[in-house]
């Protein structure tokens, strides 16, 4: 399959992943309330960490190893078999830890945590890394779309109150299990399992664990904050924070989609030594990402108060003050993502990634421990902002002499200026419009028109490389 088709499937699935939680969240919020949302979030995020431990860094390491061996069928079979044997051993150990939590630690969330056991079980045969290494993105995208759509349908059909939250967990866990089994079936004829020694399997454990460090560190300040809010501030506070963070997390999926598209292109240019083309591409992408995330951040800030009530219900009105500052973390995430995917990773300078992400995790953990007991969920908001600022800051410490940071920061400031004007227009229109769905839609339309016109004006007045890039595309 061509790189273009793989990219299309990957981006399309990411967009679907962004939209699906936005479909189920309003129904779940109204059905189970703040305590129910917080209770489920608490159990789910503990399960998520168990799955992270089970999979180590296989999404990166396994994919890379399979891709390197795929032209030699014998080497491919042995590499696949050795990594899968290592995966099963680690996943079984993680499943054992999950059972310890389930039997001796879980409290009121136990009824939800029991069906989530299927999530840990599914890690025994999660072979997405092998499919990606073989450039088989289509089955992953189609399978995940199908099973997640079925799980979402079950939520609407069977979940009627907080007592049904176990059904919610069971539906998503079963969908994950079925999806991973279908992954294994998709590999038939493409790779063959062979006998390998324990030593062959264990030799992959070290390098895979090294890549796992950055995955774990990222998860600390993306997931652990909700566990800490639930444990230190209560499930109700966690429910408010969960729904505020959920919208921002969904929007960040578009940043990841852009990074996924640009990473292979930048890697190819690095191999060919076309450094200047990479610099021009990075500059154009940074301006585009800053304008996109600036529009998201200021737009969300302009409508958060009405959006939370209309989307989640009156009970979640306190989520709005959390959603506003979290929205601005998108600009920090976007800035770091462009540098990481177009400059650091293509050069295989993984240590910078590990250092920046681990620094962000350490800052987040310290801020949470200090602020959550005093500020509740808002303490986690502050911790998230500090963590997301730390990542690009550490990147800057390593790359200041290589990249034109003054120009890149100017793109961010320009995006803030455009976003600020758009924010003012949306807030002013809100004074004239009712707090209803049609009124909110009208506000969004005003924001889109103002943002679009200002962005176009900015790009033309500054002779932006992004505008030049867009003009060249049709000729290709």
């Amino acid at each position: 399959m061509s790189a273009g088709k793989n990219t299309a499937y990957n981006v399309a699935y990411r967009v679907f992943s962004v939209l699906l939680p936005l479909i189920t969240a309003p129904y779940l919020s109204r059905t189970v309330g703040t305590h129910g949302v917080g209770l489920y979030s608490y159990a789910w995020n503990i399960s998520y960490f168990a799955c992270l431990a089970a999979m180590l860094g296989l999404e990166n390491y396994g994919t890379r190893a399979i891709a390197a061996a795929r032209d030699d069928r014998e080497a491919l079979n042995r590499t696949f078999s050795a990594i899968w044997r290592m995966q099963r051993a680690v996943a079984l150990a993680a499943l054992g830890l999950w059972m310890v939590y389930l039997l001796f630690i879980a409290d009121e969330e136990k009824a939800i945590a029991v069906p989530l056991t299927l999530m840990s079980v599914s890690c025994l045969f999660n072979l997405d890394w092998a499919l990606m290494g073989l450039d088989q993105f289509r089955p992953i995208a189609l399978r995940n779309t199908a099973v997640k759509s079925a799980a979402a349908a079950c939520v609407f059909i069977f979940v009627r109150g907080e007592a049904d939250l176990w059904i919610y967990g069971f539906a998503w866990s079963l969908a994950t299990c079925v999806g991973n089994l279908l992954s294994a079936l998709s590999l038939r004829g493409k790779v063959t399992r062979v006998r390998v020694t324990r030593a062959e399997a264990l030799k992959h454990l070290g390098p895979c664990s090294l890549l796992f460090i950055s995955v774990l560190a990222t998860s600390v300040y993306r997931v652990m904050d909700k566990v800490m809010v639930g444990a230190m501030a209560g499930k109700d506070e966690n429910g408010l924070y969960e729904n505020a963070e959920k919208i921002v997390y969904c929007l960040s999926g578009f940043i990841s989609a852009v990074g996924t598209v640009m990473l292979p292109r930048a890697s190819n240019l690095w191999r060919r030594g076309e450094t200047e083309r990479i610099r021009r591409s990075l500059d154009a992408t940074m301006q585009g990402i800053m304008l996109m995330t600036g529009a998201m951040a200021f737009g969300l800030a302009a409508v958060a108060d009405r959006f939370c009530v209309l989307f989640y219900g009156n009970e979640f009105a306190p989520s709005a003050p959390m959603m506003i500052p979290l929205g601005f973390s998108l600009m920090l995430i976007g800035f770091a993502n462009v540098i990481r995917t177009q400059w650091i990773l293509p050069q295989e300078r993984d240590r910078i990634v590990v250092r920046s992400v681990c620094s962000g995790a350490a800052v987040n953990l310290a801020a949470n421990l200090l602020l959550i007991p005093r500020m509740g969920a808002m303490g986690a908001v502050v911790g998230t902002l500090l963590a997301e600022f730390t990542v690009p800051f550490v990147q800057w410490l390593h790359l200041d002499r290589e990249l034109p940071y003054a120009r890149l920061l100017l793109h961010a400031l320009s995006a803030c200026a455009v976003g600020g004007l758009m924010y003012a227009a949306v807030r002013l229109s809100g004074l004239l419009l009712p707090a209803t769905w049609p009124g909110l839609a009208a506000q969004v339309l005003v924001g889109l028109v103002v943002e679009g016109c200002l962005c176009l004006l900015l790009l033309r007045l500054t002779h932006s490389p992004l505008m030049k890039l867009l003009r060249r595309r049709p000729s290709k």
Side-chain angles (χ1 to χ4, degrees):
M1 185 178 292
S2 69
K5 288 185 178 180
N6 280 331
T7 298
Y9 278 114
N10 195 19
V11 172
Y13 173 65
R14 285 181 181 272
V15 171
F16 170 79
S17 298
V18 166
L19 296 177
L20 189 60
L22 299 182
I23 296 173
T24 58
Y27 175 79
L28 192 67
S29 298
R30 287 171 169 80
T31 304
V32 304
T34 55
H35 185 264
V37 171
L39 192 65
Y40 180 80
S41 171
Y42 186 69
W44 174 266
N45 284 300
I46 294 174
S47 171
Y48 176 77
F49 271 104
C51 292
L52 274 184
M55 294 302 295
L56 287 180
L58 276 175
E59 184 176 349
N60 294 314
Y61 178 80
T63 300
R64 186 174 65 189
I66 293 297
R70 68 187 182 194
D71 294 331
D72 183 335
R73 185 57 185 260
E74 183 179 352
L76 172 65
N77 291 339
R78 297 203 71 81
T79 300
F80 167 78
S81 301
I83 294 176
W84 191 19
R85 179 172 178 176
M86 182 271 295
Q87 175 187 351
R88 295 196 304 272
V90 174
L92 280 172
L95 179 60
L97 292 175
W98 170 258
M99 295 305 297
V100 170
Y101 157 75
L102 194 64
L103 294 174
F104 302 107
I105 302 174
D107 190 17
E108 61 176 326
E109 75 276 8
K110 180 176 287 190
I112 304 169
V114 169
L116 290 179
T117 303
L118 286 174
M119 295 293 296
S120 293
V121 172
S122 71
C123 293
L124 291 165
F125 42 86
N126 183 347
L127 303 177
D128 283 358
W129 49 271
L131 285 169
M132 289 188 287
L134 294 170
D135 276 343
Q136 298 294 315
F137 286 85
R138 182 174 181 269
I140 297 174
L142 295 181
R143 174 255 298 172
N144 281 334
T145 300
V147 297
K148 288 187 177 181
S149 297
C154 290
V155 172
F156 289 109
I157 295 171
F158 299 111
V159 178
R160 301 297 181 186
E162 187 173 329
D164 298 327
L165 277 172
W166 71 271
I167 300 176
Y168 186 68
F170 178 72
W172 287 110
S173 301
L174 181 62
T176 302
C177 259
V178 172
N180 288 345
L181 283 171
L182 291 175
S183 281
L185 294 176
S186 299
L187 283 169
R188 286 190 303 181
K190 299 179 178 68
V191 65
T192 304
R193 182 183 171 192
V194 298
R195 283 183 172 273
V196 292
T197 65
R198 181 183 301 176
E200 284 182 276
L202 291 179
K203 77 176 183 180
H204 296 284
L205 184 61
C208 191
S209 299
L210 180 62
L211 286 175
F212 174 62
I213 294 174
S214 61
V215 175
L216 180 61
T218 300
S219 299
V220 164
Y221 65 88
R222 294 283 175 83
V223 178
M224 182 59 76
D225 52 357
K226 283 174 274 191
V227 176
M228 295 177 73
V229 170
M232 300 166 71
K235 304 304 186 294
D236 288 356
E237 280 281 300
N238 191 43
L240 295 172
Y241 180 76
E242 165 74 15
N243 276 357
E245 193 267 347
K246 182 180 294 181
I247 299 299
V248 176
Y249 178 76
C250 288
L251 292 174
S252 71
F254 290 100
I255 302 172
S256 300
V258 175
T260 301
V261 172
M262 298 307 297
L263 175 59
R265 181 177 185 273
S267 299
N268 181 259
L269 291 174
W270 269 109
R271 284 195 297 270
R272 289 155 50 183
E274 299 187 48
T275 307
E276 286 307 311
R277 285 190 63 186
I278 294 174
R279 290 181 180 275
R280 291 196 298 270
S281 175
L282 188 150
D283 185 79
T285 306
M286 182 65 79
Q287 185 172 37
I289 288 290
M290 288 298 97
L291 289 172
M292 180 181 74
T293 55
M296 291 176 178
F298 283 95
L300 202 58
V303 301
D305 51 353
R306 292 187 177 186
F307 175 81
C308 283
V309 173
L310 291 171
F311 197 70
Y312 292 123
N314 291 323
E315 192 177 6
F316 286 88
S319 291
M322 303 177 197
M323 188 181 295
I324 294 172
L326 283 174
F328 286 94
S329 70
L330 290 168
M331 298 190 73
L332 298 169
I333 294 170
F335 196 98
N337 183 274
V338 173
I339 302 297
R340 182 173 61 252
T341 58
Q342 294 197 53
W343 195 261
I344 301 174
L345 289 178
Q347 300 181 63
E348 299 183 1
R349 298 164 73 177
D350 298 342
R351 291 183 181 275
I352 298 178
V353 176
V354 172
R355 288 170 185 164
S356 62
V357 173
C358 287
S359 298
V363 168
N364 180 257
L365 183 62
N368 283 350
L369 289 172
L370 181 65
L371 298 176
I372 291 177
R374 294 172 172 81
M375 302 171 61
M378 189 58 73
V381 173
V382 176
T384 296
L385 288 171
L386 292 174
E388 298 296 359
F389 172 79
T390 301
V391 175
F393 177 74
V394 174
Q395 291 178 348
W396 170 77
L397 292 177
H398 287 87
L399 305 172
D400 181 36
R401 296 184 179 182
E402 300 177 32
L403 294 174
Y405 267 91
R407 179 176 174 83
L408 299 179
L409 289 172
L410 184 61
H411 290 325
L413 292 175
S414 299
C416 287
V418 170
L421 292 172
M422 182 266 288
Y423 170 86
V426 174
R427 293 297 291 182
L428 287 173
S429 67
L431 298 176
L432 306 173
L433 295 167
T436 60
W437 278 112
L440 181 62
Q443 282 185 279
V444 172
L445 182 60
V446 169
L448 289 173
V449 172
V450 172
E451 179 78 17
C453 292
L454 291 174
C455 285
L456 187 60
L457 181 63
L458 174 67
L459 296 178
R460 287 184 173 178
L461 289 178
T462 59
H463 304 287
S464 167
L466 180 60
M467 179 63 75
K468 296 175 184 177
L469 183 66
L470 293 173
R471 286 174 175 172
R472 282 202 303 269
R473 286 191 180 279
S475 62
K476 287 186 178 181

